[in-house]
Amino acid sequence: MVRIIEPTSKFIKVRCPKCKNEQMIFGKASTPVRCLVCSKVLAEPTGGKAKIKSRILEVLE
Ligand SMILES: [Zn+2]
């Protein structure tokens, strides 16, 4: 599942599809965000929007 998130300053809680690690990522990522455990890319920057390549558990205001 790939979801495009609009540019936002929100933090998004995601779960790594590979190792199930949960971590917080920034919705407006400018660099690829990797899982801290297995280094799988969880989100990629696409011109201001973060392409989330992992399961979104929660969006924090
Ligand atoms: Zn992982």
Side-chain angles (χ1 to χ4, degrees):
M1 181 183 68
V2 173
R3 251 200 270 179
I4 306 291
I5 300 294
E6 294 297 319
T8 174
S9 56
K10 290 174 181 172
F11 280 97
I12 302 165
K13 189 180 192 182
V14 297
R15 178 181 290 153
C16 176
K18 190 175 170 187
C19 72
K20 312 301 183 197
N21 172 54
E22 291 180 11
Q23 78 183 56
M24 302 294 301
I25 64 173
F26 199 45
K28 206 174 172 182
S30 56
T31 55
V33 180
R34 289 180 180 274
C35 175
L36 296 173
V37 176
C38 70
S39 296
K40 182 178 175 60
V41 175
L42 300 179
E44 285 178 343
T46 54
K49 299 177 185 179
K51 186 198 277 183
I52 309 296
K53 306 179 80 174
S54 48
R55 180 162 202 151
I56 298 170
L57 300 174
E58 204 177 331
V59 177
L60 301 175
E61 300 296 329

